[in-house]
Amino acid sequence: MITVKAPAKINLTLDITGKRPDGYHDVAMVMQTVSLYDTVTVDFAAGDIFKH
């Protein structure tokens, strides 16, 4: 089992500037980190290919 903190951010601006050949979009953004976070826990099931 792995538990980590996932820090939050706020997008002050977010502009889609184009579409890439792989289907994803190019973006330009201004962001600010904040002191909030989520706690994420991942538990691997028996037979998973990842070593833990």
Side-chain angles (χ1 to χ4, degrees):
M1 182 180 325
I2 299 171
T3 300
V4 296
K5 292 180 182 177
K9 66 176 177 66
I10 297 173
N11 288 326
L12 301 172
T13 65
L14 179 63
D15 297 312
I16 298 172
T17 59
K19 190 170 183 181
R20 302 182 337 195
D22 61 5
Y24 288 95
H25 290 88
D26 290 320
V27 296
M29 68 179 117
V30 175
M31 64 182 174
Q32 175 64 51
T33 58
V34 292
S35 61
L36 301 172
Y37 62 87
D38 285 325
T39 302
V40 179
T41 301
V42 178
D43 193 4
F44 297 97
D48 281 345
I49 61 171
F50 300 105
K51 295 193 183 275
H52 54 280

